[in-house]
Amino acid sequence: MFQLSHLRSFVAVATELHFGRAAALLNMTQPPLTRHIQLLEHEVGVQLLDRSGGAVRLTPAGAIFLREAEDILRRSQAAKLAARRAMRADAGSVSMGFIPAASFALLPQLLGAIRSSLPEVHVSLREMQTDAQLEAIAADRIELGLVRPFAPRSFVESAPLLREPFVLAAPAGHPLLQAERLPLSALEGQPFIEFCRSESRYLYEIVAGRLRAEGVAPDTVQTLSHTHSILSLVDAGMGVALVPQSAWRLGYAGVRFRPIDDQVGLDVELHLVWRRGNPHRVAATVRQVMEQAFDTT
C-alpha cells in the first residue's frame, strides 16, 4: 500500500510539473522525491508521469490518479482534524432533537448562546415529538433533546429550561379583547379551539384541568394537535384558544393575545433532556451552555 508521503510527492510534482520546484515546495531534496514517485508507480502498476524529452507531463493514468490522490489527502486531513476535535469538549458536533413549540422562542435563543460560546461546535437539529426524542436518546441517535415534561425514565436525565404562561388568543376585533386582562370565567360558552387530548395530552390536561377546577365550560368547536394549527383557526375567526405565551412569535396577522388572571397552574414547561451517563464530551459542554443561558443550574 502506498504511503501518504508518496501521494504528497506525486501531487506536488503533478502540480508543478517540475521535480526541482516540487522538491523545494516539500522542503526535501530531489533524489528522495524521485524515489517516492518510483515507489508509487511500482505500487500502482502504471506510469503516472512522462519524463521524456526533458519535460514532466502527466500520463492519462496520472491525470486520473491525481484527482483521487488529492481526494485521499483531503480526507486524511479531515480525519485527523476530526480525531483531534473528538478529544476536545468545545469543538465538534452534537445532534439535538426539539419539539415544534421549542422553535417559537427557546430554540433561537439557545442556538445563539451556543454560537457565541462554542463557535467550533456544529448542532445538527431534528424536529421530533417528545416520545420520539426519548426513543432516539435511548438508541444514541441524538445526544440532547428539547421536550415537554414526561414520566421518569431510568436512562435519561432532564432539567427545566423554560416555563411560560398560557394566554388567550382571539381574532382581532373580538369583544374579549376590550379588557387588558381576562379571568378564565370569560371563556364560559365561548367557541373554543382546544388541544387534542390524545396527541397533545400534556397541554390538554393543563388547560382542561384548570377550566374544570374553575367550573368554566367553553364551547369546544375544534381539537387540534399543534399550536400553529390552533392559531390558524383563531385567525380564521372560528373561536378563541389558550396557547403558550411564546406563540405570539408565529405572527398571525389576525390574532391578538391577552394575559389571563391568576396564572397558578396555567403554565407550560420545556425541558432539556440527555442520556444518563453519556460520555459525549461536546454534548456535555453544550448542555452546560444551555443551562447557564436559562439559569437552570
Side-chain angles (χ1 to χ4, degrees), residues 89-96 110-111 113-115 117-125 143-146 161 272 274 280-293:
D90 62 349
S93 62
V94 62
S95 56
M96 182 168 69
L110 290 176
L111 293 177
I114 294 168
R115 283 197 302 270
S117 301
L118 302 169
E120 294 187 61
V121 169
H122 170 71
V123 181
S124 177
L125 296 170
E143 286 83 43
L144 300 170
L146 297 174
L161 286 184
L272 173 64
W274 64 93
H280 196 290
R281 293 159 60 92
V282 178
T285 304
V286 170
R287 190 179 76 234
Q288 292 173 1
V289 169
M290 294 168 70
E291 290 176 335
Q292 290 168 4

Side-chain angles (χ1 to χ4, degrees), residues 3-78:
Q3 301 177 24
L4 291 178
S5 60
H6 296 170
L7 291 181
R8 293 190 190 96
S9 295
F10 169 71
V11 169
V13 175
T15 301
E16 296 294 327
L17 295 178
H18 191 282
F19 275 82
R21 290 195 298 267
L25 185 65
L26 295 170
N27 196 28
M28 63 191 301
T29 60
Q30 191 168 326
L33 174 61
T34 300
R35 182 60 176 163
H36 283 181
I37 300 301
Q38 291 171 342
L39 290 171
L40 182 62
E41 289 180 325
H42 177 76
E43 182 68 33
V44 176
V46 297
Q47 184 179 0
L48 302 174
L49 295 169
D50 181 359
R51 308 166 187 73
S52 63
V56 178
R57 293 180 295 272
L58 283 168
T59 65
I64 294 174
F65 189 77
L66 175 61
R67 293 194 296 269
E68 300 297 330
E70 289 174 330
D71 183 58
I72 291 171
L73 291 174
R74 280 193 297 268
R75 287 189 284 123
S76 68
Q77 180 66 14

Side-chain angles (χ1 to χ4, degrees), residues 59-266:
T59 65
I64 294 174
F65 189 77
L66 175 61
R67 293 194 296 269
E68 300 297 330
E70 289 174 330
D71 183 58
I72 291 171
L73 291 174
R74 280 193 297 268
R75 287 189 284 123
S76 68
Q77 180 66 14
K80 181 173 67 176
L81 294 175
R84 290 176 177 174
R85 283 197 299 266
M87 297 304 296
R88 297 172 55 186
D90 62 349
S93 62
V94 62
S95 56
M96 182 168 69
F98 67 98
I99 62 171
S103 65
F104 300 167
L106 181 67
L107 186 61
Q109 295 178 57
L110 290 176
L111 293 177
I114 294 168
R115 283 197 302 270
S116 176
S117 301
L118 302 169
E120 294 187 61
V121 169
H122 170 71
V123 181
S124 177
L125 296 170
R126 296 184 61 187
E127 187 175 16
M128 312 165 73
Q129 295 298 336
T130 294
D131 287 343
Q133 289 188 58
L134 295 175
E135 292 175 4
I137 286 174
D140 291 326
R141 294 195 301 271
I142 61 174
E143 286 83 43
L144 300 170
L146 297 174
V147 301
R148 293 298 188 193
F150 56 92
R153 311 287 176 96
S154 61
F155 59 88
V156 297
E157 297 182 73
S158 66
L161 286 184
L162 177 69
R163 173 178 290 178
E164 60 178 329
F166 279 89
V167 295
L168 174 75
H174 195 283
L176 291 179
L177 296 174
Q178 295 177 12
E180 291 300 317
R181 303 181 64 89
L182 292 163
L184 276 179
S185 59
L187 298 180
E188 180 68 33
Q190 289 287 336
F192 191 64
I193 305 163
E194 191 171 31
F195 284 101
C196 177
R197 182 173 186 173
S198 60
E199 297 182 20
S200 300
R201 190 173 188 85
Y202 172 70
L203 299 174
Y204 167 83
E205 289 183 347
I206 292 174
V207 173
R210 184 63 192 279
L211 290 173
R212 283 195 303 269
E214 296 291 327
V216 177
D219 178 19
T220 300
V221 294
Q222 294 284 344
T223 59
L224 297 173
S225 301
H226 300 293
T227 301
H228 66 271
S229 300
I230 288 176
L231 290 183
S232 70
L233 296 192
V234 174
D235 193 28
M238 294 185 64
V240 301
L242 292 175
V243 297
Q245 180 175 265
S246 59
W248 71 267
R249 292 176 175 266
L250 292 175
Y252 282 88
V255 179
R256 303 291 184 268
F257 300 91
R258 291 291 185 272
I260 299 295
D261 285 333
D262 189 10
Q263 290 285 347
V264 176
L266 195 60

